[in-house]
Amino acid sequence: MTVWDDLVGQEPAVAVLKKAVDGAAARQRGESGTATAGMTHAWLITGPPGSGRSNAGRAFAAALQCENQGCGECAVCRTALNGAHPDVSLIRTELLSIRVSEIRELVRRAAMSPTQGRWQVMVVEDADRLTEQAADALLKSIEEPAPRTVWVLCAPTVEDVVPTIRSRCRLLVLRTPPVHAVAEMLTRQAGVDPELAGFAARAAQGHIGRAKALARDEEVRARRTKVLEVPFALRDIGACLNAAQQLVEAARDEAKASAAQVDEKERAELEQALGVGTKGAKPREAAAAVKELEEQQKARAKRWERDVLDRSLVDLLALYRDVLVVQTGAGTELINAELRGHIEQLAARTTPEQTIHRIDALSGCREAIEGNVAPLLALEAMTIGLFEG
């Protein structure tokens, strides 16, 4: 098993990264010319959600440090992949943005020589969430990197990264993994029943993390089923408003449940570090530190709630995509093949134009939520659009 094995269906991208690792190794040996042509100091890895951008960044970092170019078995590979290697810095955020203070600390580390490894590798997993100030702080380090520093930025699309930074990076685009490749991975790595693996891969639409959750957790599958029932329950305006409310509450509850354990652990660790509950004077900054943590946790919960809502909207988009496939006779495989009967009934009593209108309503809702419109208002407008469409 190598560091590249988790990059499902990304053979072209893996080939590029392997060539770069070979070039980096040649550079370490003092070679020049074509031997090192594949390597550069700054990379921008883009791809749709679930395509494996972060996994690609981590695998590349591990392979650059490994004497065997990413064997996946040695201590160097293992520590690089899990973030414990001293010369591999992984930065990601559960908040709405990456702050300038975090990037300044990363830039400071990037200027240092490697302590153990061959390179100082800086992996920014959420480069699309850099604030304007954070992007400015990062720019100079990418323009004038230290000799043995490599930057790896990850984002959904190239447009999500400011032009001044993306123009200085080599672009590597990941594709949506094929359904059969995701299903095979679930069967091979997790021992999932082939039929369930096929369903999870189709329903996840190439999102590997989502496919794993659907395959392993019956509760996740039940929540998805409930979301897909929404279009068939929109009989009047009251039902539309009720459906919107239920979607928001379900997302809030799921995000709250996911955050509760993490929040508690973070607070306990902070209080221990501050000496809360011990004898003697408490640090004067204790109250401010606890307040800052609470604000960060609140922001993270907001992002997680948005993520859950967006996932629900993507599932609904897939449903109406299937309706349009039936209406137009496109002959393409249905994402929700298990709901074929319901899809055909919905397709029979509506027109393709109405279906496109409903798809537009869903897409508009996603954009509104991303633009900080109150989720309930955005979803109410969306469900009414599905009903009246």
Side-chain angles (χ1 to χ4, degrees):
M1 182 174 181
T2 72
V3 297
W4 311 108
D5 288 354
D6 282 340
L7 298 180
V8 180
Q10 305 296 348
E11 291 80 8
V14 169
V16 171
L17 293 175
K18 283 183 175 180
K19 182 177 179 181
V21 170
D22 291 340
R27 186 178 299 178
Q28 288 285 324
R29 295 191 297 267
E31 300 174 19
S32 60
T34 56
T36 65
M39 185 58 185
T40 187
H41 74 280
W43 295 74
L44 174 57
I45 301 177
T46 68
S51 58
R53 301 186 302 265
S54 297
N55 286 343
R58 290 169 182 254
F60 187 38
L64 286 171
Q65 305 291 16
C66 176
E67 291 185 1
N68 296 309
Q69 284 77 57
C71 67
E73 303 293 335
C74 67
V76 169
C77 284
R78 291 196 299 271
T79 55
L81 289 173
N82 65 27
H85 194 287
D87 297 320
V88 175
S89 298
L90 305 174
I91 181 169
R92 67 187 304 271
T93 184
E94 299 292 354
L95 307 179
L96 298 178
S97 62
I98 298 177
R99 297 173 297 179
V100 65
S101 58
E102 298 174 87
I103 292 299
R104 283 175 178 159
E105 173 60 22
L106 201 63
V107 167
R108 185 189 66 80
R109 294 203 300 269
M112 299 178 181
S113 297
T115 58
Q116 295 181 13
R118 302 175 171 194
W119 302 89
Q120 187 78 259
V121 187
M122 326 304 290
V123 182
V124 183
E125 297 185 12
D126 300 292
D128 55 310
R129 296 187 181 272
L130 290 169
T131 64
E132 185 177 347
Q133 294 84 357
D136 289 342
L138 177 61
L139 180 59
K140 186 171 179 59
S141 184
I142 289 182
E143 284 182 323
E144 302 173 7
R148 294 170 65 188
T149 294
V150 179
W151 285 93
V152 183
L153 312 182
C154 307
T157 70
V158 67
E159 290 79 15
D160 291 317
V161 179
V162 296
T164 50
I165 289 181
R166 71 191 190 215
S167 64
R168 290 162 174 79
C169 299
R170 179 175 178 183
L171 177 62
L172 181 67
V173 180
L174 304 186
R175 62 182 180 178
T176 299
V179 169
H180 69 84
V182 177
E184 181 183 336
M185 178 272 295
L186 291 173
T187 302
R188 184 182 70 253
Q189 293 187 8
V192 177
D193 175 78
E195 184 175 352
L196 177 57
F199 157 77
R202 275 189 294 103
Q205 302 175 64
H207 192 302
I208 296 171
R210 176 71 168 156
K212 289 179 178 178
L214 286 166
R216 295 169 176 169
D217 194 332
E218 186 175 350
E219 188 175 331
V220 172
R221 297 195 293 273
R223 285 198 295 264
R224 178 179 179 274
T225 298
K226 195 166 184 179
V227 168
L228 294 179
E229 291 173 354
V230 167
F232 306 100
L234 303 179
R235 298 180 179 87
D236 52 41
I237 297 299
C240 293
L241 301 181
N242 185 53
Q245 182 71 40
Q246 289 180 352
L247 286 170
V248 170
E249 289 177 353
R252 187 174 298 132
D253 290 344
E254 184 176 341
K256 185 177 180 180
S258 299
Q261 201 168 16
V262 178
D263 289 353
E264 184 179 348
K265 181 181 178 182
E266 288 177 342
R267 187 180 181 97
E269 290 175 349
L270 178 61
E271 290 179 345
Q272 183 179 10
L274 294 172
V276 176
T278 60
K279 292 183 178 180
K282 297 179 182 178
R284 297 176 63 182
E285 317 77 36
V290 171
K291 183 178 180 181
E292 181 181 3
L293 175 63
E294 289 174 346
E295 290 175 351
Q296 290 178 359
Q297 290 176 340
K298 185 177 180 180
R300 178 174 61 200
K302 183 178 180 181
R303 178 183 171 185
W304 283 0
E305 182 181 334
R306 285 183 177 182
D307 289 345
V308 174
L309 284 173
D310 191 66
R311 189 173 66 224
S312 298
L313 294 173
V314 169
D315 287 337
L316 288 171
L317 278 167
L319 179 70
Y320 282 105
R321 171 264 189 198
D322 287 346
V323 172
L324 194 60
V325 166
V326 172
Q327 288 174 329
T328 58
T332 308
E333 182 182 9
L334 299 185
I335 293 171
N336 300 282
E338 69 282 359
L339 298 176
R340 177 177 288 275
H342 294 292
I343 290 169
E344 289 177 344
Q345 290 176 17
L346 190 56
R349 65 173 185 258
T350 59
T351 66
E353 290 77 16
Q354 289 175 309
T355 302
I356 291 172
H357 179 83
R358 288 166 176 151
I359 289 173
D360 288 342
L362 286 161
S363 299
C365 184
R366 295 184 71 192
E367 293 175 4
I369 292 175
E370 186 64 28
N372 283 324
V373 173
L376 182 58
L377 291 177
L379 283 162
E380 286 176 345
M382 181 268 291
T383 52
I384 291 172
L386 297 182
F387 172 65
E388 295 180 342

